[in-house]
Structures are given as C-alpha cells and as structure tokens.
Amino acid sequence: MFGYSNIGQILLLGQALTLFRQRRPIKRFNHACISAAASLALCTSFSWQIISSSSNSSGEATPTSHLILVVCQLACASVSLLSCLLLARRPCVYFKGLPVDGEYTVSILNRWTFAWADELLTFAKRHHGLDLVHLPQLHLRLRSEYLEKLFHKKERSNILWKDLFRVHRLELASQSLLAMSQGILQFTPQLAMYKLLELLEQRSEGGAVADKAWIWVAALGISIIVTAWVEAFMHWVVWARLGSLIRSELSALIFSKSTRRKDVKGHQTALILGNTEANGVTEPIASGPAVQQQTQPDVPIIKPLNDEEDEEVQKSRQSVINLIAIDTKRVTDFVSCHWIFSQTIAKLTASIFFLVNLIGWPSLLAGFAVATLSLPFNIWASRTYSKTQTGLMKARDQKMVIVTEALQGIRQIKFSALESQWQAKIGKKRAEELAMQWKAFAVDTVLIGIWILGPVMLSAVSLAVFAVLNGDLSPSIAFTTITVFAQIEMAMAAIPELTSDGLGKPTSLRLKSIKTANWIP
C-alpha cells in the first residue's frame, strides 16, 4: 500500500540528490540539516510501527514480511540520518596564520556532541598544558571588535539593558526555550520510574510484567541521556553564547569610552592671545622709534583644578576600574543565570500537573499553603539583602577612592609624616565595609535557611495529608513525589536570590554610567 511513509521516502531521496549537486559548502550543510530532520521523522515513524506490532494486544499477528520491510526502511533512514549529520559545514578557515575555532567548521553531530574540541583537549593532555599560540582564533561573531560594532549599530536608547536585550535577543530566546524544554524533560525519568514501581507492585501480586518493564527501563535510560544532553547544551549556550560574549562586549565598550574620558590631573591650560580673549586682535609693541604692528604669541595661563573637579577625576578613574573588574562580571552572572526564571515556570507547571495526578489537589494545596506562610519572611529577607548589598558597594567604592588617593600621593604622605592619619582613615572605611559585609552574610544565611526549609516542609506536609486522606501510601507514589519535589527544590530556592540580584543590585544600576556618565563625551 502506497502511504505517507513512501511519499516521505521519495521526497527524502530528492533531497539527498540535491546534496551532490550543491557546490557551496554552507548551503550543502543547510540542506543536509533539513534532510537529517526528515530522516529523523521517518526513523521515529518506523520505530513506532515496530513497537506497535510487537505489543499488539488485539491478538492479530503482524506478517513477518511486513516487519522485515519496516526494519529495512528503518535501517535506510538511519543511514541517511547519520550521513547527513556527519557532513562538514566548511573547510578549515585561517585568521592571522592560525586556524579558526572549529565549532562552525565541523559537522552538526560533532558540534552537538562537542567533539570539535577533542583535538585541543588531547593536545593539552599530551603536553600537560597549553600556551596562547596553541589556541585557535575566535570565530568572527565572538571577537570583541565585532561585538562592539554590533552594539553601536543596534543601540537605540540610553538604557543599557534594553540595548543588550536587542543585540542578544536570539540567544536569550534560545536560552529560555532550552531551559523550558529541559525543565519539562527532567520529569520524564520520574514518569518512567513511577511506571516501573507500579509494575513491580503488580509483580508482587503475581502479574506478568516483564515485557512492559523492559520498555520502561529503556525509556528511563533514554530520558536520562536526552535530559543530560539538553542540560549540557543549554549551559554551553548560556556561557559561550551569552556570558562570555556580554562580558567581552561590555569590557570593550567601557575601554573604548574610557579612552575619551576626562583625565586631567593637577592643572588645566587655557590659551589666550595677548591681553585679549584669543580673538586675533593685535596689540602695538614698542620697538625703537617706530611702532610696529606685531601679533603677540599665544600665552598659556595655568589654571588649577578646584577640589570638586579633582574629586570628580578620582571618581571617574575609580569607576572605570570598578565597572570592568566588578560590575561587568555581576551583570554577566545575572544574564547567565536568568534562565532559571523560565525553567522554574516550566518546572512548576509540569510538576503541578504531575503531582495532581499522583496525590490530588487537597494534598498539593496543603503543601503549598505551608510554603506560602514563609513568603513574607522571604520577601523581607530579600529586600534587606538588596539594601545591604547597596551599602556594601558604596562602602567598597569609598574605600577604593581613598586607597587610590593614598597610593598616588604616597611620597607626599611620607614627607609630611601623615602615615598614621591616612592609616586611620583607610581603617575606618575598611571597618565600615566589614560591618556591611557581616550584615550581608547574616541576611544571606537567613535566606538560605528559608530556602532549604521551604521545599522540605512542602514535601512532608503533602505526603502526610495524602496518607491521612487515603489511609495508605504506596511506595511508587511516595518515592516519585519526593523525587518531583526534589527536582523543583533548587529552582524554587534560587528564584528569590536571583530576583534580589536582578532588581536590587546596585551594580546593574551603576552600569548605566557606561552611556550617561559625565566622563564620556
């Protein structure tokens, strides 16, 4: 019978023929990716036919010839899939005499399995280390020069986070999509384990469950492998496509604009012409009996900076150091961890749906009611921690300004014998910083205690209410419920701290000086 699978095979054959006619390597690679997706769909269809025929409950036997034909079709589709996945994207590319990183050179299979880095890792293992000359050149889109030009091309406002979102919106979208997918896939091993425990309970009652158990064992192994791969690929996108790029981009932006900042120390020069205001008027100068018209040369007048201007120079110089050393790293860390928001939404949605079918609404609502009681304490602790971080950063900035001033004037301090006064001044600022640091650690300890106790109480109360209402608690329900609560524990615990870091962190607000500070022309 001529069905949809036959039509798909004919179309796949046409796609395979176009690969041989295409001479441009990148276009051939793109066509191979499309053919790989079609081959994967056919492999899934044929595998489902084989599983359905082997577990047919109607009693009708599947013809052996039909089963052999489907297996042959599955083998051909698998070979086509593997061939498309092993097709390289382009030849090796060189930049400044060195090979460019092979991530966008190798095949899609080597890219997804991170096999393109095996050669470098093997070299490092064999020679017990790496030097700079052994590292490949970065791809064009990963270089700071390209990132800075791209940022200036797409910037539309004076709000930094909006411009960053506009430049990296595709990476942020892929990060959120992978995080949500990984959050949902994390519950597939729990589902397979729940089915296995149910089958073991049926076997203890005398049921024959061997065939079904093997299917769920295979499903458990495949789900664990797929979940681990999606998680690894998501972290690669987070750090290699967002974290390192944004940090390099911000550092290049700060360095570029800091070269145009006001950096005058000690004096300021103003040029005038004669006794006028540099308007080109000439003044007669006596020379013997005649009076000659002669233009007076430019006379520099030295005007010292006042205290406010000198203090502004010190602050601008120190702010550049803080922006590169501290603020860019913190903003990069927040951007690299914001995927927890989307993953938590997906986890909570999937876990609520799963737990409702396991323990029911009453038990689940009782657990969430206990978790809600700790919400006011959590909000108070998060706000206090945010305010403490703001005070801590201000104390650090004031201390660094004084230390920098002391280092620049260390010779004058020695000549004037002012070591004790400056030591006391620096020690006072250091004591203020340590006091704010101690307060921040204390509030952070309270937050960690709330985050640890919350999920534990949620799981304990839910299972207790379920046991009281139903009079029994089977092992399959108990172990699966505890595992599900453990999966969402980390996400629920990280949300408050991530929220306080993102909304109340002073470094994120201070980074607006990259675009609006007075030391940038």
Side-chain angles (χ1 to χ4, degrees), residues 147-148 151-152 154-168 172 246-247 249-254 257 323 327-332 335 506-517 520:
L147 294 173
E148 184 184 358
F151 183 87
H152 288 303
K154 294 187 177 182
E155 64 176 342
R156 305 277 177 82
S157 63
N158 286 329
I159 302 177
L160 182 64
W161 69 268
K162 288 186 178 180
D163 290 334
L164 288 176
F165 178 80
R166 187 179 295 110
V167 174
H168 301 281
L172 291 170
I246 289 180
R247 186 168 187 179
E249 185 177 34
L250 290 177
S251 300
L253 182 64
I254 296 170
K257 291 197 173 185
L323 285 174
D327 299 340
T328 54
K329 182 181 183 302
R330 292 203 168 194
V331 171
T332 300
V335 174
T507 55
S508 299
L509 299 177
R510 193 168 62 183
L511 268 174
K512 67 182 180 181
S513 61
I514 296 177
K515 304 172 76 66
T516 60
I520 299 175

Side-chain angles (χ1 to χ4, degrees), residues 283-336:
E283 181 178 1
I285 300 176
S287 177
V291 176
Q292 302 176 357
Q293 295 290 333
Q294 183 177 0
T295 303
Q296 187 174 355
D298 295 346
V299 179
I301 294 181
I302 307 301
K303 182 174 65 176
L305 289 173
N306 54 37
D307 294 338
E308 294 182 357
E309 291 177 340
D310 186 72
E311 183 180 359
E312 188 65 29
V313 170
Q314 293 292 338
K315 289 183 178 180
S316 65
R317 181 180 298 144
Q318 188 58 42
S319 63
V320 175
I321 299 175
N322 289 337
L323 285 174
I324 295 179
I326 300 175
D327 299 340
T328 54
K329 182 181 183 302
R330 292 203 168 194
V331 171
T332 300
D333 292 341
F334 173 74
V335 174
S336 302

Side-chain angles (χ1 to χ4, degrees), residues 103 144 276 316 373 455:
E103 180 183 1
S144 59
T276 64
S316 65
L373 295 177

Side-chain angles (χ1 to χ4, degrees), residues 255-283:
F255 177 79
S256 176
K257 291 197 173 185
S258 65
T259 56
R260 304 191 298 272
R261 70 183 178 89
K262 180 180 178 182
D263 192 9
V264 181
K265 178 66 178 174
H267 297 85
Q268 183 178 3
T269 304
L271 296 178
I272 64 171
L273 297 177
N275 295 328
T276 64
E277 295 180 355
N279 54 7
V281 179
T282 58
E283 181 178 1

Side-chain angles (χ1 to χ4, degrees), residues 367 370-371 374 445-461 489 492-493:
V370 174
S374 63
T445 304
V446 175
L447 280 174
I448 293 174
I450 295 174
W451 301 337
I452 292 176
L453 292 178
V456 173
M457 295 299 297
L458 175 63
S459 177
V461 172
E489 178 180 354
M492 291 180 63

Side-chain angles (χ1 to χ4, degrees), residues 1 3 7 25 49 53 72 89 255 257 341 348 446 463:
M1 183 175 179
I7 298 176
Q49 292 182 25
S53 61
C72 293
R89 183 175 181 267
F255 177 79
K257 291 197 173 185
F341 286 111
L348 288 177
V446 175
L463 290 177

